[in-house]
């Protein structure tokens, strides 16, 4: 593009004119007409007529004004004024600039050769000569040294693959890098982006965005303080207050940091997932969550670790490592897992949930399995064993199998009605301790209805009035309610 370097080293030189006369309009100037040609360094100026002041070093050119700089530049206008002493000039009426990369059309263009800057303030239209990219704005400047346009006020950039609408936009004609300042939107067939600050590498489709950025893809929205994004490679990386909403997969993710590539999603720092299912909702919070697979193909896998909280089917759990397989319909909790559901608390070295129709069907507790069900703050039905299997129906426990080193304490009860209020009152009769190799405990209406053994158990029953404190608890009993977190479904937005 034009380097606006007139008068920096040499005087303006009149090369040719068909007619030269003294000017009566300007003192000590000449008026030239017909095939007029001026020269300044490697720049040539052609026009129909001009006023030229050699001493003061200025020229006023009129009619079919044309400027050539080598074979790289052609500039056209109806008139031109250039002051060689101040190195400031102005082109007026039907201004056109053509070079190897861009064409510019405007009504008026001023330039400052000292700073190699040209500027307009009454609309310009710019078109690339390399592709179908066009730009237009009310105001703008062009730096011929950096090859950078700065557009302001009602900026519109159009390309077959994308379009940009902004208040302020910088565009480099060599790198085709766009810098956005102020509220803007970037539109393409695959996405709609709203941001206040961005750098857009148009050749690679890489966009770096700051300040309240939102990306809308088909069925998916990403928000964050800062986001790196490429729609062609399906890559996104976000920093600060990240929120990803997928309406197709019915999932919401949030974190301090997001990495997304194809079907891989990684969340770090206050990571949360809220996944809506046909009859239930799955909620996860952890320091780190990784999701892979395609939910449409029924093969999504979620992995979470460090300070994990899980909420599912009315259950609330904690652990330090979590694995969820959509294909296998299982949830595995490891590293000090604890699970709470209604008045039930379970723990083991590891806990596996088997799902059926998105609801928990079975709980598998491996190594140091322990289950307690609270009657009140002093009395808990308790089960312990090497392994334990709980079967649920409609979210309620129906059967507990205790396998190897099975032991249990439970509190049989009887109900009566209050003579005044007619409300049912449950009274615990005593503590029943049993030990066997395997114990089956059946439930009805969330109460133990019967117990089955594979061999005759060792059993002791003590009425409550005769029971000591140590008779009420198994040796492995620990009340872990203090570790129970708040429910996630109230926390995740």
């Amino acid at each position: 593009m034009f380097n606006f370097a007139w008068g920096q080293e040499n005087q303006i030189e009149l090369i040719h004119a068909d007619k030269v006369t003294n000017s009566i309009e300007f003192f000590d100037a000449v008026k030239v007409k017909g095939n007029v040609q001026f020269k300044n360094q490697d720049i040539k100026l052609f026009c129909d007529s001009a006023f030229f002041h050699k001493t003061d070093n200025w020229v006023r050119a009129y009619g079919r004004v044309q400027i050539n700089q080598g074979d790289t530049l052609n500039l056209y206008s109806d008139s031109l004024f250039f002051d060689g002493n101040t190195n400031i000039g102005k082109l007026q009426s039907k201004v056109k600039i053509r070079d190897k990369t861009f064409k510019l059309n405007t009504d008026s263009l001023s330039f400052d050769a000292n700073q190699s800057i040209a500027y307009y303030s009454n609309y310009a239209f710019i078109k690339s000569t390399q592709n179908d990219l066009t730009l237009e704005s009310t105001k703008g400047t062009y730096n011929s040294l950096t090859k950078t346009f700065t557009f302001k006020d009602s900026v519109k950039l159009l390309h077959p693959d994308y379009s940009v609408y902004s208040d302020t936009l910088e565009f480099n004609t060599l790198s085709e890098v766009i810098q956005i300042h102020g509220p803007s939107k970037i539109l393409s067939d695959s996405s709609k982006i709203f941001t206040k600050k961005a750098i857009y590498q148009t050749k690679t489709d890489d966009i770096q965005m700051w300040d309240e950025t939102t990306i809308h893809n088909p069925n998916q929205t990403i928000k964050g303080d800062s986001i790196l994004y490429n729609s062609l490679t399906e890559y996104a990386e976000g920093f600060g207050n990240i929120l990803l909403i997928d309406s197709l997969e019915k999932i919401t993710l949030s974190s301090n940091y997001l990495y997304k590539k194809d079907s891989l999603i990684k969340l770090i720092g206050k990571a949360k997932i809220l996944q809506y299912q046909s009859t239930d909702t799955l909620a996860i919070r952890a320091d780190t969550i990784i999701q892979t697979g395609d939910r449409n193909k029924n093969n999504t896998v979620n992995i979470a670790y460090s300070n994990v909280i899980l909420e599912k089917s009315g259950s609330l759990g904690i652990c330090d490592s979590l694995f969820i397989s959509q294909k296998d319909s299982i949830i595995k909790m490891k590293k000090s897992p604890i699970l709470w559901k209604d008045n039930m608390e379970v723990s083991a070295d590891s806990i596996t949930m088997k799902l059926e129709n998105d609801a928990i069907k079975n709980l598998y507790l491996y190594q140091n399995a322990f289950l307690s069900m609270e009657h009140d703050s002093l009395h808990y039905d308790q089960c312990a064993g090497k392994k334990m299997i709980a079967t649920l129906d409609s979210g309620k426990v129906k059967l507990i199998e205790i396998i190897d080193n099975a032991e249990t304490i439970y509190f049989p009860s009887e109900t009566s009605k209050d003579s005044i209020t007619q409300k049912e009152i449950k009274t615990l009769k005593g503590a029943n301790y049993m030990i066997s190799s395997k114990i089956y405990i059946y439930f009805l209406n969330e109460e133990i209805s019967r117990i089955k053994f594979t061999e005759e158990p060792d059993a002791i029953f003590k009425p409550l009035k005769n029971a000591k404190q140590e008779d009420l608890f198994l040796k492995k009993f620990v009340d872990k309610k203090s570790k129970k977190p708040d429910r996630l479904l109230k926390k995740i937005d």
Side-chain angles (χ1 to χ4, degrees), residues 433-456:
Y433 172 79
M434 298 182 182
I435 183 170
S436 180
S437 60
K438 195 171 185 179
I439 300 175
Y440 297 86
I441 304 176
Y442 296 86
F443 291 80
L444 182 64
N445 298 324
E446 301 183 79
E447 297 282 346
I448 295 175
S449 60
R450 64 189 179 96
I451 299 178
K452 179 182 175 182
F453 311 94
T454 56
E455 59 184 40
E456 191 67 26

Side-chain angles (χ1 to χ4, degrees), residues 14 24 58 76-77 249 260 263 292 340 357 429 443 464 479:
L14 176 61
I24 60 174
W58 58 255
Y76 307 89
S77 68
E249 297 191 7
K260 183 180 183 298
S263 61
T292 62
W340 293 270
N357 298 323
K429 296 190 294 183
F443 291 80
L464 283 186
D479 187 359

Side-chain angles (χ1 to χ4, degrees), residues 335-364:
K335 297 184 178 180
S336 305
I338 307 172
L339 189 67
W340 293 270
K341 182 172 177 58
D342 300 326
N343 66 333
M344 181 177 69
E345 177 183 289
V346 299
S347 61
D349 289 357
S350 67
I351 299 174
T352 297
M353 301 179 223
K354 182 66 176 177
L355 307 180
E356 186 176 284
N357 298 323
D358 293 330
I360 300 175
K361 180 64 176 178
N362 297 103
L363 286 174
Y364 298 88

